Amino acid sequence: HRSNQLHPPSFTCIVTDLAGEARFVSAVTKRLTQLGAMTRGDRHSGLGASGDAFGFGRMDLMSGPYGLPALAKLKADVARKQTDIPMRLPNWPGGWDEFSQQALASMEMSQVPAVEDAEKTLTPGKNAKGTELKKFLNRILGMPCRVQQGIFELLAGHVERLEDSDRRDGLLDRGVVSLNHSSRFGRLQKVEELSSEPMPGANLALRRLSLDRGIDWEASQRLLENAPADEDGMQGFYMRPLDSAEPEPLLVLRRRRLAREGGVGTYTLIYPHVGSTGALDGHACTAARLRSSTFYSVPVEEAAPAWQKQYASSASLCVHKQRGRSCGNAECRAGLRCLEETMLTGQILAHWDVLTGLLRQTSLNRCVLDSGTVLVGFLVPKDIIPLMKENFKQRAEMLQRAPSFEGREARVPPRRRPARAGAVLDISDDENGSPVLSSSSESEAPRWLPAPSWPGQA
């Protein structure tokens, strides 16, 4: 990288699927993360738009906080020869029992230190996560290849589960999250600002946003027209039959081939009220799963009225009421197309400690409004807003009661300045013993007369 370079450098990392190479991918990822944080203020900017380490996200274990906890879970699973992580072990005819036995023997032979003894083996001042993971990733290089594969798959499974748990709880620290593309609401089609309220006692504002994640009928037709050809002939509009409600429409588009699925093509399911998903019954939607499902294909003329009806009703009704059922939850948002969220914007960094303590999250959100305005801030739950207002109000009152030094004149003792050139200060006593100042021009340079003897002074 050179100064004033118009385009940043682009790197292509080529690695094999050998698990031991995760050590080197993690090191490169960590360096690029630090580079992006220093140069652009965003730790994900050095890894491209997706924020993934060259597309090998599973191999990046050192730049996140989940590597060491996942390593502890891996060792516990291998020691007790049981795990709740679903694993594919095609290279192990004996399954999990054979793998766990070989993995335990390989780890003992490589002298992998136990996690509970990490505090004793680490150098003071070092980071426990970095030292422990480096040692583990370096030592698995000497294990057989199939043992490496199994150990790394188990470790990556634990990392993914820990991330999913924090993501559900809203505690996943992902830096600046794009609200329009990669938030928990899916891909948003429209973001509008409904109102703005200043926060008392701080340069912050609470902005109420309307998030529209649905796809109207005209947009769905354009997607189908611009979609690439499908050799299996599965693209098009479908209806999903329901037991006690009218069938619901959806659009099926060809996506790509997945190597882990044996090279078969996958499909994206697009709904009028909640956007798109690539899963069907919890698995990747393939042509075989699509044929075995209850979906049935319909012509465009039949799908149009059902699509427009659900698109309109989902603006204010949850999916239960859309299907003619009763819903006892007044705040139900299942299947709701238009969502309202509150974003706190302004001088976030000036109140970082207070906000992270109240919200218990450190991930900022960035969204682009339909007007082109870009907002960056925290998404605030409704139940936290009154507490946040009260907190900042009390802080403002405390600042007002605190003594202020603005406008006060500094009480500095007068400085003793020499007389002007040609003037002499004579200090003498009058009849009452009070000093009298007089000036004279007898000498050009100022002179100081000795102090007089005051009455009663020895």
Side-chain angles (χ1 to χ4, degrees):
H1 185 272
R2 297 180 180 272
S3 299
N4 299 325
Q5 187 171 346
L6 295 180
H7 303 285
S10 176
F11 303 95
T12 302
C13 184
I14 302 176
V15 296
T16 66
D17 58 352
L18 189 63
E21 295 195 1
R23 168 71 178 86
F24 309 104
V25 175
S26 294
V28 174
T29 303
K30 189 174 182 179
R31 294 296 179 88
L32 288 178
T33 300
Q34 295 172 349
L35 179 64
M38 290 186 295
T39 57
R40 299 187 182 181
D42 184 5
R43 62 188 176 186
H44 297 302
S45 62
L47 302 178
S50 63
D52 194 359
F54 308 105
F56 300 102
R58 296 174 70 252
M59 304 182 75
D60 178 20
L61 299 175
M62 297 177 59
S63 61
Y66 304 103
L68 193 61
L71 179 59
K73 292 180 178 294
L74 177 145
K75 293 181 178 180
D77 290 349
V78 172
R80 59 189 175 91
K81 299 182 179 180
Q82 291 181 356
T83 184
D84 53 355
I85 299 294
M87 295 185 61
R88 295 178 292 107
L89 300 172
N91 298 326
W92 297 90
W96 167 259
D97 293 336
E98 182 184 0
F99 162 71
S100 59
Q101 184 176 359
Q102 291 291 332
L104 182 60
S106 299
M107 291 171 64
E108 291 176 353
M109 186 178 299
S110 301
Q111 297 181 354
V112 176
V115 176
E116 52 268 20
D117 298 333
E119 296 182 358
K120 302 178 183 179
T121 59
L122 292 177
T123 305
K126 294 277 186 176
N127 187 352
K129 174 185 65 176
T131 306
E132 186 71 19
L133 281 177
K134 286 178 183 178
K135 187 177 296 186
F136 172 76
L137 294 175
N138 286 336
R139 293 189 178 181
I140 66 173
L141 289 172
M143 300 180 185
C145 292
R146 63 173 189 162
V147 175
Q148 289 188 38
Q149 291 296 111
I151 287 179
F152 190 81
E153 183 175 349
L154 181 58
L155 182 63
H158 280 297
V159 170
E160 185 177 359
R161 178 163 295 186
L162 291 172
E163 287 183 352
D164 291 341
S165 177
D166 280 358
R167 186 179 292 107
R168 287 193 302 268
D169 298 338
L171 302 176
L172 182 62
D173 183 6
R174 295 177 292 176
V176 180
V177 181
S178 175
L179 196 64
N180 300 73
H181 302 286
S182 57
S183 66
R184 65 177 184 270
F185 309 108
R187 188 179 183 90
L188 301 178
Q189 304 299 321
K190 185 185 300 184
V191 182
E192 295 179 343
E193 182 178 353
L194 302 179
S195 62
S196 178
E197 177 185 358
M199 181 70 71
N203 294 325
L204 301 171
L206 288 170
R207 302 176 183 270
R208 195 160 58 93
L209 305 179
S210 174
L211 314 180
D212 190 347
R213 54 180 177 173
I215 299 178
D216 57 17
W217 174 246
E218 290 75 13
S220 66
Q221 286 184 306
R222 289 194 298 268
L223 289 175
L224 182 59
E225 292 174 358
N226 298 329
D230 179 19
E231 57 187 16
D232 294 329
M234 304 296 294
Q235 283 188 151
F237 289 97
Y238 285 76
M239 299 295 287
R240 178 175 59 177
L242 301 174
D243 294 336
S244 58
E246 297 180 357
E248 294 179 346
L250 70 151
L251 174 62
V252 176
L253 295 180
R254 182 63 173 262
R255 191 178 180 186
R256 63 176 182 270
R257 293 182 178 273
L258 293 180
R260 65 174 180 269
E261 295 289 342
V264 299
T266 60
Y267 294 85
T268 299
L269 309 181
I270 302 175
Y271 298 91
H273 57 306
V274 292
S276 61
T277 179
L280 176 60
D281 297 332
H283 302 280
C285 180
T286 61
R289 291 195 179 100
L290 191 58
R291 291 190 185 97
S292 61
S293 67
T294 57
F295 300 164
Y296 59 92
S297 179
V298 295
V300 176
E301 296 77 10
E302 184 177 346
W307 190 287
Q308 294 170 349
K309 179 181 178 181
Q310 187 171 23
Y311 180 83
S313 62
S314 60
S316 58
L317 300 178
C318 66
V319 70
H320 310 102
K321 295 182 179 180
Q322 295 174 33
R323 296 172 180 174
R325 303 173 185 173
S326 60
C327 183
N329 184 9
E331 300 294 331
C332 181
R333 308 175 75 177
L336 193 63
R337 176 170 63 87
C338 297
L339 306 174
E340 288 190 9
E341 290 289 335
T342 302
M343 175 177 281
L344 181 68
T345 62
Q347 297 183 359
I348 299 292
L349 296 180
H351 310 278
W352 183 264
D353 294 339
V354 179
L355 295 176
T356 53
L358 290 173
L359 301 175
R360 292 185 294 180
Q361 62 171 317
T362 57
S363 296
L364 290 171
N365 291 269
R366 178 183 184 274
C367 74
V368 181
L369 304 180
D370 285 355
S371 60
T373 305
V374 178
L375 302 178
V376 177
F378 284 119
L379 289 182
V380 183
K382 289 184 179 180
D383 55 343
I384 300 295
I385 294 178
L387 178 62
M388 181 179 295
K389 290 182 178 179
E390 183 65 23
N391 188 293
F392 279 99
K393 183 179 179 181
Q394 293 178 1
R395 287 167 58 89
E397 293 176 354
M398 292 175 60
L399 291 176
Q400 290 179 357
R401 291 196 299 265
S404 176
F405 294 93
E406 296 181 0
R408 291 191 177 186
E409 296 181 358
R411 297 181 179 180
V412 181
R415 299 177 62 183
R416 193 174 187 182
R417 295 179 297 177
R420 296 187 304 274
V424 177
L425 297 178
D426 294 336
I427 304 179
S428 60
D429 296 339
D430 61 2
E431 297 178 354
N432 299 326
S434 301
V436 177
L437 300 178
S438 61
S439 61
S440 176
S441 305
E442 297 178 356
S443 176
E444 296 181 358
R447 61 185 178 87
W448 299 101
L449 298 180
S453 59
W454 301 97
Q457 188 175 20

